[in-house]
């Protein structure tokens, strides 16, 4: 199994409504292709983790890189993995500007990681740890 993490910048007219529409199609495709992962939206930037069979992940990422709804796509990490982080999710999604559902302290933690971590300014192994934290803090179904 394989995983890719990248960041990108949303084009100015990519509205929240458009993002939800994109996400709904993406989840259905991911479900059909046994792809899991997590998409985060923060200050007009996306950070996404894709997990699945290597050929499928590479081919989806090729498609995503051609998508005109975002730009400045930068791969942060890609690696063979033995297990998924987002096993239960076709594509977990969190918009950090829409933070009412997240308790203040958790939000502060995530913000700190997102803003300050060197994982998000240059390619780094730390970006995988970041998503493990995100999974624990935001998405764990207990
Ligand atoms: C930030 C971002 C994340 C995306 N994530 C996915 C995804 O996880 N799965 C997916 O099928 N499409 C995703 N897409 C959409 C793809 O870029 C593309 O539109 C989709 O693969 C359909 O391609 P097609 O129109 O060539 O068939 C994403 C697009 C953006 C901008």
């Amino acid at each position: 199994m394989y995983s890719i993490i990248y960041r990108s910048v949303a084009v100015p007219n990519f509205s929240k409504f458009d993002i939800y529409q994109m996400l709904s199609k993406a989840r259905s495709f991911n479900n059909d292709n046994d792809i899991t992962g997590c998409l985060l939206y923060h200050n007009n930037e996306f950070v996404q983790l894709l997990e699945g069979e290597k050929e499928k992940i590479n081919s989806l990422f090729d498609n995503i890189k051609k998508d005109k709804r975002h730009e400045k796509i930068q791969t942060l990490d890609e690696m063979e993995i033995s297990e998924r982080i987002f096993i239960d999710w076709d594509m977990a999604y969190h918009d950090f500007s829409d933070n009412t559902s997240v308790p203040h302290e958790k939000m502060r933690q995530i913000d700190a990681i997102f803003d300050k971590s060197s994982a998000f300014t240059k390619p780094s192994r730390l970006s995988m740890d970041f998503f493990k934290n995100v999974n624990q803090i935001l998405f764990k179904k207990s």
Side-chain angles (χ1 to χ4, degrees):
M1 241 180 342
Y2 204 65
S3 118
I4 293 180
I5 299 173
Y6 73 88
R7 70 185 297 164
S8 66
V9 179
V11 295
N13 61 355
F14 197 15
S15 70
K16 288 194 184 187
F17 178 77
D18 297 334
I19 293 174
Y20 276 104
Q21 270 196 332
M22 181 279 287
L23 199 58
S24 152
K25 275 182 74 177
R27 281 177 169 154
S28 145
F29 178 87
N30 294 355
N31 187 278
D32 291 345
N33 290 278
D34 201 21
I35 292 169
T36 54
C38 178
L39 177 66
L40 303 173
Y41 183 63
H42 188 66
N43 296 337
N44 294 321
E45 289 196 20
F46 293 109
V47 179
Q48 188 173 30
L49 162 75
L50 301 165
E51 310 169 310
E53 202 255 310
K54 187 169 185 176
E55 269 176 34
K56 286 182 175 166
I57 293 302
N58 279 328
S59 122
L60 173 59
F61 190 43
D62 281 345
N63 244 4
I64 290 176
K65 281 190 278 195
K66 287 184 216 139
D67 200 313
K68 295 278 184 286
R69 295 172 288 188
H70 64 167
E71 55 197 13
K72 298 182 187 149
I73 291 126
Q74 181 191 12
T75 307
L76 296 174
D77 200 2
E78 53 184 311
M79 65 192 292
E80 299 282 349
I81 50 168
S82 53
E83 55 181 27
R84 298 169 192 255
I85 302 174
F86 287 86
I87 189 151
D88 300 326
W89 298 87
D90 299 327
M91 189 51 61
Y93 177 73
H94 190 76
D95 176 348
F96 284 92
S97 56
D98 182 21
N99 63 9
T100 46
S101 62
V102 184
H104 181 75
E105 179 54 22
K106 288 186 172 183
M107 191 60 212
R108 199 196 55 73
Q109 242 176 306
I110 283 278
D111 249 356
I113 306 172
F114 211 112
D115 287 343
K116 299 198 187 80
S117 173
S118 60
F120 296 95
T121 55
K122 59 182 194 316
S124 166
R125 274 287 111 100
L126 290 176
S127 49
M128 190 66 85
D129 293 335
F130 169 79
F131 273 104
K132 285 182 187 156
N133 287 335
V134 165
N135 183 43
Q136 289 292 335
I137 295 171
L138 294 178
F139 298 106
K140 209 70 190 170
K141 295 174 178 172
S142 48

